[in-house]
């Protein structure tokens, strides 16, 4: 008792009785009524702004070190109310205009003593304390918008108090012009809302988890023992042997739940999610405008709403979950360890926990893919000297003269000069890449199945089995749109009925979406076309150089610079398309946050997918296909000749394009966007705060409270950017893996850093997000599955049409005279008579090689100039084309069948989890049957007792006195209560 009183005195807090609250509510309602009467004729609807995420806005403050000891140590730096006992579950922050001295005068405080029981420098309990201060400061100059916001806050906070929440206001903060409302949910409110939300809570019933026996148990123990060094040092990581039976919370059945420790029965994550549910449901109805917390935040009535972090992540004295996660999860030195997923879920909620669990499974599955990719690459390195086609291309004795690569400025060239390109292309264009494509298709199917099983295990462990998402509250923008529609209808007719947005209301937005998306895709195609024009014109310009080294490296220079331009454009358009996708989704006005998120994801993925892969699709399937032939080339704008592939094929160029774009996106986005930009924002906030500290020196002498420090952190913008980055990477790993077997390795190295980078961002850079329950990763699973199916088709076409795998097979089995690849290069080259060049297209310096050229060669299957149908497509072309199409059909159907077989043979739900779920249902039925039997036994015992007592009374006295009847009635009531 002494300790509690001491804490109370140290914090200077005093709990309010119900009378001041009622008085304040009446005062607020009278103010509202007067305000509403003044504006009854003209209803003002505030435009609702788009917000990145519910309850978050950016701030300009910066966390500074304290210069003196905190006098409110009993409140643990803002985690508790001023009484040091009630925990802060949620924070509402608001901005207000300040004028003159910070401390109000004594006269005003004396007049408002019924609302403010502290000294002027103490924080004010709600309701009433903060409103008086704001009213006093607003006296010199009336501000309509500030008054409107203040009235809305007063009404909304009064309504929150009516729901049972306890509030406390703090405006004496170190942040200039920012006030805070601390919210605490008492036990009865937590119980009520947990029942409404159907939260599964642990009961007293504990059961034994079935463990594997025999060989599997020994194997599991062995694996756990050898993996112990890479396990995080977090409590509860050992395999569970017992588990509490969970059941949706019910106040009528509280005796069934394990309430041995009421303080920890509802953890901080659950408490904040319960308060947030109340905040969304509670409305502010002034001036006929129903506003929940989403609308109030969007209109700037409150500047932020967020739950608190548990404490400091870098404090040595204080032990909390945030510090534990910082040490064992958000540290780069822990890159080799498993993630403490259960602790992540406990702190951030199921939705964020599932994201990091999915990222961990994906990274883990990249290990075997990387190993096989390295083996395929090493096989290409080992066999490069045994590859006959590349040896023939490098052999100068063949003396093959090739036709010019451009008109007039380009000259004839020796095929042996492309020796390096031919040898390098064999590293990625060999028979092993076909095997690797099949392997990666099966890998993608196995990854999806492995994730489904992992997801089911997490659902069982986190008590999400049977969880179904209920319809969310309408978004602020949707409510405003419906209100505008209802007001228009009310103005025209007196009928009042529930309005909603129909497809007719949304038709202009739908049309804008279709036109906007088509236009953006057209912009992407136009930019790729512009890069093609750059390649063609630059190649022609460099070919005219007097420097022989420049002329020799034209292809490498053009390819490298064009890929870098593509990369820069992709990075810029990624940000632009993200903003456009959000705007297109906002004008649709989806009803709920879930619908908004799904539509935003679809649009953003479509635009970013086209943006990232269009240049790669061009090189893989279009470059070198529509060039014509010498003497009859195809031209753009009648002056630019279409570019050709290198003699070794376009696969090497595809590999360069893919690797630079993939690595560039990962390195620049991760290092610049995810690390550099937040650091720069923090530096700007620090400089602004330092400049402000000279003005308000006394305010900065105090140590910041927890809610002030969290206010300075970045807002949480959702998981969409994190998922999007990984899905685009998944596309690079699977879609064109036949051209770049090392893609899984680079993805693995990136993800090892990405996990710790994201973890550090969530722990140190972001406000704590509101915990959201989710049993799966939502629409992202369908997107990943679609990318996996598309990868099979694209790899089939890459192997057939981009690589020389099929032409080599056709030559080997149909045209080779000795059953080897000797003569393959000569077989793929056609002849051209230089006298057939069109006027003005022949080389300007034809004697560069030292001899007169009469015949040159080009890569195509065409008739020779001495044949009757010269330069026509020959029968070899059709044989190769038929083989290519046949391979696509066989490869696609075979791999699809194998993927579906893997999908079918691996059950989605692990057998042991399925058994445990069934066992939980049986045990729950037993618990309720036992409870019913206990009630019946108690009732029978009581009836027997009453019957015997009645017989004894009848034998002693013919009737019962009034007091005896009352006693019997009381006993009956007591038994029923029990």
């Amino acid at each position: 008792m002494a300790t509690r009183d001491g804490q109370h005195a140290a914090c200077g807090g005093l709990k309010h009785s119900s009378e001041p609250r009622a008085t304040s509510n009446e005062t607020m309602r009278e103010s509202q009524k007067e305000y509403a009467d003044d504006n009854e004729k003209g209803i003002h609807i505030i435009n609702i702004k788009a917000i990145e995420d519910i309850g978050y806005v950016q701030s300009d403050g910066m966390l500074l070190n304290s210069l003196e000891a905190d006098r409110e140590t009993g409140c643990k730096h803002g985690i508790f109310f001023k009484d040091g006992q009630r925990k802060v579950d949620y924070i509402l922050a608001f901005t207000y205009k300040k004028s003159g001295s910070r401390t109000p005068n004594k006269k005003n405080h004396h007049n408002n003593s019924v609302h403010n029981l502290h000294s002027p420098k103490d924080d004010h309990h709600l309701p009433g304390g903060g409103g008086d201060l704001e009213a006093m400061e607003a006296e010199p100059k009336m501000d309509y918008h500030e008054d409107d916001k203040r009235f809305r806050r007063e009404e909304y906070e009064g309504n929150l108090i009516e729901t049972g929440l306890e509030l406390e206001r703090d405006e004496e903060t170190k942040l200039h012009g920012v006030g805070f409302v601390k919210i605490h949910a008492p036990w009865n409110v937590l119980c009520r809302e947990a029942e409404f939300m159907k939260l599964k809570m642990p009961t007293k019933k504990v059961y034994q988890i079935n463990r594997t026996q025999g060989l599997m148990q020994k194997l599991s123990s062995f694996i756990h023992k050898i993996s112990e060094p890479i396990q995080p040092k977090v409590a509860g990581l050992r395999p569970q042997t017992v588990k509490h039976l969970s059941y949706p919370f019910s106040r009528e059945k509280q005796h069934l739940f394990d309430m041995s420790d009421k303080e920890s029965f509802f953890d901080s994550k659950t408490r904040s999610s319960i308060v947030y549910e109340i905040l969304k449901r509670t409305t502010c109805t002034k001036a006929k405008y129903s506003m929940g917390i989403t609308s109030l935040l969007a209109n700037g009535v409150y500047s932020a709403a967020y739950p608190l972090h548990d404490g400091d992540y870098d404090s040595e004295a204080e032990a909390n979950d945030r510090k534990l996660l910082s040490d064992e999860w958000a540290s780069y030195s822990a890159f080799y360890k498993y993630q403490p997923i259960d602790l992540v879920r406990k702190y951030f909620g199921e939705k964020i926990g599932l994201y990091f669990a999915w990222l961990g499974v994906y990274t883990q599955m990249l290990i075997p893919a990387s190993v096989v990719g390295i083996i395929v690459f090493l096989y290409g390195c080992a066999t490069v000297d045994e590859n006959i086609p590349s040896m023939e291309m490098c052999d100068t004795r063949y003396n093959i003269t090739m036709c010019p690569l451009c008109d007039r400025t380009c000259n004839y060239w020796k095929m042996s000069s492309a020796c390096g390109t031919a040898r390098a292309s064999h590293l990625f264009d060999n028979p092993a890449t076909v095997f690797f494509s099949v392997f990666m298709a099966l890998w993608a199917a196995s990854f999806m199945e492995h994730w489904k099983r992992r997801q089911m295990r997490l659902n069982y462990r986190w008590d999400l089995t049977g969880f179904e998402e209920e319809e969310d509250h309408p978004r602020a923008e949707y409510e405003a749109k419906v209100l505008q529609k209802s007001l228009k209808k009310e103005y025209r007719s007196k009928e009042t009925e529930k309005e909603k947005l129909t497809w007719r209301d949304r038709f202009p937005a739908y049309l804008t979406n279709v036109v906007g998306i088509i236009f953006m895709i057209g912009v992407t195609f136009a930019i790729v076309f512009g890069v093609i024009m750059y390649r063609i014109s630059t190649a022609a310009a460099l070919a005219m150089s007097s420097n022989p080294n420049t002329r020799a490296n034209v292809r490498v220079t053009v390819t490298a610079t064009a890929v870098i331009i593509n990369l820069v454009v992709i990075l810029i358009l990624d940000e632009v398309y993200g903003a456009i996708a959000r705007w297109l989704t906002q004008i649709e006005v989806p009803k709920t946050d879930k619908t908004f998120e799904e539509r935003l994801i679809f649009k953003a993925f479509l635009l970013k997918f086209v943006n990232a892969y269009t240049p790669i699709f061009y090189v893989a399937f279009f470059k070198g296909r529509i060039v014509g032939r010498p003497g009859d080339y195809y031209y753009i704008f009648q002056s630019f000749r279409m570019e050709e592939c290198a003699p070794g094929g376009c696969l090497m160029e595809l590999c360069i394009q893919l690797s630079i774009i993939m690595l560039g996106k990962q390195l620049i986005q991760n290092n610049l966007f995810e690390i550099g930009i937040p650091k720069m924002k923090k530096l700007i906030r620090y400089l602004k705060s330092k400049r402000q500290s000279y003005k308000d020196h006394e305010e900065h002498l105090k140590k910041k409270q927890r809610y002030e420090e969290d206010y300075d952190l970045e807002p949480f913008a959702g998981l969409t950017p994190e998922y999007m980055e990984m899905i685009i990477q998944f596309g690079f790993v699977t879609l064109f893996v036949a051209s770049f077997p090392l893609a899984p390795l680079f993805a693995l190295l990136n993800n090892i850093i990405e996990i710790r980078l994201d973890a550090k961002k969530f722990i140190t850079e972001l406000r704590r997000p509101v915990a959201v329950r989710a049993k799966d990763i939502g629409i992202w699973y369908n997107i990943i599955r679609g990318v996996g199916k598309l990868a099979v088709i694209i790899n089939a076409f890459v192997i057939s049409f981009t690589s020389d795998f099929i032409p080599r097979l056709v030559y080997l089995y149909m045209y080779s005279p000795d059953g080897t690849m000797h003569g393959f290069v000569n077989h793929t080259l056609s002849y051209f008579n230089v006298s057939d060049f069109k006027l003005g297209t022949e080389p300007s310096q034809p004697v560069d090689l030292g001899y007169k050229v009469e015949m040159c060669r080009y890569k195509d299957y065409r008739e020779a100039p001495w044949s009757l149908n010269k330069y026509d497509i020959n029968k070899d072309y059709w044989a190769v084309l038929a083989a290519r199409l046949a391979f696509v059909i066989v490869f696609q159907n075979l791999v699809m069948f194998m993927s579906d077989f893997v999908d079918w043979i691996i059950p989605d739900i692990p057998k042991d989890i399925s058994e445990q779920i069934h066992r939980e249902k049986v045990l729950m039925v037993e618990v309720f049957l036992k409870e019913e039997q206990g009630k019946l036994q108690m009732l029978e015992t009581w009836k027997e007792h009453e019957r015997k007592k009645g017989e004894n009374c009848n034998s002693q006295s013919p009737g019962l006195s009034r007091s005896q009847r009352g006693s019997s009635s009381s006993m009956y009531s007591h038994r029923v209560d029990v």
Side-chain angles (χ1 to χ4, degrees), residues 661-671 729 746-747 750:
I661 291 177
M662 178 183 175
L663 295 176
K665 272 180 67 69
Q666 291 182 356
L667 291 175
I668 294 176
Q669 281 188 339
N670 286 356
N671 294 322
Q729 185 204 82
F746 290 113
N750 173 79

Side-chain angles (χ1 to χ4, degrees), residues 338-541:
Y338 284 103
Q339 300 181 85
I341 292 298
D342 289 329
L343 187 58
V344 174
R345 173 253 178 179
K346 178 187 173 186
Y347 194 78
F348 291 110
E350 287 79 6
K351 191 171 185 178
I352 294 175
L354 282 173
Y355 163 70
F356 282 103
W358 174 84
L359 184 57
V361 170
Y362 171 48
T363 305
Q364 190 178 1
M365 288 293 291
L366 282 172
I367 296 175
S370 302
V371 172
V372 177
I374 292 172
I375 293 173
V376 170
F377 178 74
L378 292 177
Y379 170 81
C381 295
T383 58
V384 66
D385 292 328
E386 301 172 6
N387 183 39
I388 295 174
S390 61
M391 291 170 61
E392 288 183 349
M393 289 184 66
C394 294
D395 196 344
T396 56
R397 293 175 299 176
Y398 283 93
N399 197 29
I400 298 176
T401 303
M402 303 297 293
C403 295
L405 297 174
C406 61
D407 293 344
R408 293 189 62 81
T409 56
C410 297
N411 208 342
Y412 303 106
W413 55 285
K414 292 286 188 179
M415 190 178 67
S416 58
S417 63
C419 174
T421 305
R423 289 174 64 86
S425 64
H426 177 73
L427 302 178
F428 306 99
D429 186 6
N430 56 69
T433 56
V434 180
F435 158 76
F436 190 55
S437 299
V438 177
F439 170 82
M440 287 303 294
L442 299 180
W443 172 87
S446 302
F447 163 59
M448 300 305 296
E449 291 305 307
H450 181 39
W451 166 244
K452 282 194 288 187
R453 290 169 64 84
R454 171 70 168 159
Q455 189 172 259
M456 281 305 303
R457 288 190 181 277
L458 293 176
N459 284 343
Y460 166 72
R461 196 192 307 170
W462 296 348
D463 297 321
L464 291 172
T465 53
F467 167 71
E468 295 295 335
E469 291 186 17
E470 298 179 357
E471 187 176 358
D472 201 359
H473 298 279
R475 298 175 64 249
E477 291 84 349
Y478 181 85
E479 288 182 338
K481 201 78 172 178
V482 169
L483 178 64
Q484 289 179 353
K485 183 180 178 181
S486 61
L487 288 176
K488 287 179 183 178
K489 191 170 183 181
E490 190 178 322
Y491 178 77
R492 294 172 185 170
S493 63
K494 297 298 181 182
E495 297 179 6
T496 57
E497 58 181 23
K498 184 69 175 178
E499 289 291 336
K500 63 180 181 179
L501 298 184
T502 62
W503 69 270
R504 288 187 180 86
D505 301 318
R506 291 191 172 105
F507 180 76
Y510 290 153
L511 185 62
T512 306
N513 270 260
V514 173
V515 174
I517 290 174
I518 293 174
F519 176 74
M520 289 300 107
I521 293 175
V523 168
T524 303
F525 289 164
I527 290 173
V528 172
F529 180 76
V531 174
I532 294 171
M533 295 298 298
Y534 162 80
R535 294 162 66 107
I536 295 171
S537 57
T538 305

Side-chain angles (χ1 to χ4, degrees), residues 90-103:
Y90 218 87
I91 289 292
L92 298 178
F94 60 91
T95 57
Y96 58 92
K97 292 183 179 179
K98 302 179 69 175
S99 61
S101 176
R102 181 171 179 83
T103 306

Side-chain angles (χ1 to χ4, degrees), residues 157-185:
E157 289 163 10
N159 293 341
L160 289 179
I161 292 173
E162 290 180 359
T163 65
L165 295 178
E166 297 177 3
L167 311 184
E168 183 179 81
R169 188 187 290 264
D170 181 12
E171 288 182 353
E172 296 294 324
T173 66
K174 291 183 69 178
L175 301 177
H176 185 74
V178 180
F180 296 93
V181 177
K182 296 177 275 188
I183 303 177
H184 169 76

Side-chain angles (χ1 to χ4, degrees), residues 53-296:
D53 193 66
I54 298 301
Y56 300 114
V57 295
Q58 295 183 2
S59 63
D60 294 332
M62 174 60 196
L63 197 153
L64 298 173
N65 293 327
S66 175
L67 300 178
E68 67 173 6
D70 189 0
R71 62 185 176 84
E72 297 179 347
T73 54
C75 301
K76 296 185 179 178
H77 307 303
I79 296 179
F80 290 88
F81 273 26
K82 294 196 124 183
D83 56 14
Q85 298 171 9
R86 290 174 293 170
K87 190 172 183 180
V88 177
D89 297 319
Y90 218 87
I91 289 292
L92 298 178
F94 60 91
T95 57
Y96 58 92
K97 292 183 179 179
K98 302 179 69 175
S99 61
S101 176
R102 181 171 179 83
T103 306
N105 57 45
K106 294 181 181 179
K107 182 179 179 180
N108 285 341
H109 273 276
H110 176 72
N111 294 337
N112 294 293
S113 60
V114 67
H115 302 305
N116 180 18
L117 303 181
H118 308 295
S119 63
K121 291 185 179 181
D122 283 338
D123 301 326
H124 313 307
H125 282 286
L126 264 186
D132 299 331
L133 180 60
E134 292 179 64
M136 181 202 68
E137 291 173 345
E139 281 178 6
K141 184 179 178 181
M142 294 298 295
D143 189 332
Y144 168 78
H145 292 292
E146 286 299 315
D147 279 350
D148 178 66
K149 290 179 182 179
R150 181 162 55 85
F151 282 133
R152 291 179 192 272
R153 282 199 294 270
E154 287 176 356
E155 183 194 359
Y156 184 70
E157 289 163 10
N159 293 341
L160 289 179
I161 292 173
E162 290 180 359
T163 65
L165 295 178
E166 297 177 3
L167 311 184
E168 183 179 81
R169 188 187 290 264
D170 181 12
E171 288 182 353
E172 296 294 324
T173 66
K174 291 183 69 178
L175 301 177
H176 185 74
V178 180
F180 296 93
V181 177
K182 296 177 275 188
I183 303 177
H184 169 76
W187 175 257
N188 62 323
V189 174
L190 294 173
C191 294
R192 182 191 70 207
E193 296 299 323
E195 184 174 353
F196 292 165
M197 296 169 65
K198 300 177 182 177
L199 296 179
K200 274 191 171 184
M201 305 303 293
T203 64
K204 295 176 182 176
K205 177 68 176 177
V206 178
Y207 68 95
Q208 194 81 16
I209 297 178
N210 292 334
R211 309 302 301 174
T212 55
Q213 301 294 330
L215 181 62
M216 293 302 296
Q217 183 184 13
K218 293 180 179 178
L219 182 63
S220 177
S221 301
F222 175 73
I223 293 175
H224 182 76
K225 195 169 185 179
I226 61 173
S227 64
E228 195 168 350
I230 59 175
Q231 296 287 351
K233 297 176 181 177
V234 176
L237 276 179
R238 296 194 63 84
Q240 291 181 333
T241 56
V242 294
K243 186 178 185 293
H244 281 274
L245 195 62
S246 295
Y247 186 74
F249 187 80
S250 173
R251 287 173 289 179
E252 293 181 356
K253 297 182 173 62
Q254 285 193 33
H255 57 280
L256 294 179
F257 295 93
D258 183 17
M259 294 187 179
S260 54
D261 185 5
K262 282 191 175 184
E263 292 297 323
S264 62
F265 184 73
F266 295 107
D267 57 15
S268 59
K269 162 186 69 73
T270 307
R271 296 175 70 99
S272 63
S273 62
I274 286 174
V275 173
Y276 182 61
E277 192 68 22
I278 298 175
L279 293 176
K280 287 196 297 183
R281 193 176 65 233
T282 306
T283 57
C284 172
T285 56
K286 186 175 70 65
K288 297 184 181 180
Y289 188 25
S290 177
M291 301 179 71
I293 186 63
T294 53
S295 301
L296 294 171

Side-chain angles (χ1 to χ4, degrees), residues 28 110 827:
M28 286 189 292
H110 176 72
H827 177 76

Side-chain angles (χ1 to χ4, degrees), residues 700-766:
H700 286 266
L701 293 177
K702 298 185 297 182
K703 179 176 175 59
K704 281 190 176 181
Q705 300 291 318
R706 175 79 270 147
Y707 46 86
E708 295 175 287
E709 293 179 353
D710 287 0
Y711 185 81
D712 289 335
L713 298 177
E714 283 292 308
F716 173 63
L719 290 171
T720 300
E722 314 298 335
Y723 273 114
M724 189 68 70
E725 181 184 344
M726 289 296 104
I727 300 303
I728 296 295
Q729 185 204 82
F730 181 77
F732 283 121
V733 169
T734 55
L735 291 179
F736 296 95
V737 74
S739 64
F740 190 40
L742 295 179
L745 175 63
F746 290 113
L748 173 65
L749 297 176
N750 173 79
N751 288 4
I752 291 173
I753 301 172
E754 179 74 17
I755 290 175
R756 308 303 163 180
L757 181 66
D758 285 347
K760 202 170 189 65
K761 182 170 66 176
F762 273 84
I763 292 296
T764 64
E765 301 289 340
L766 299 180

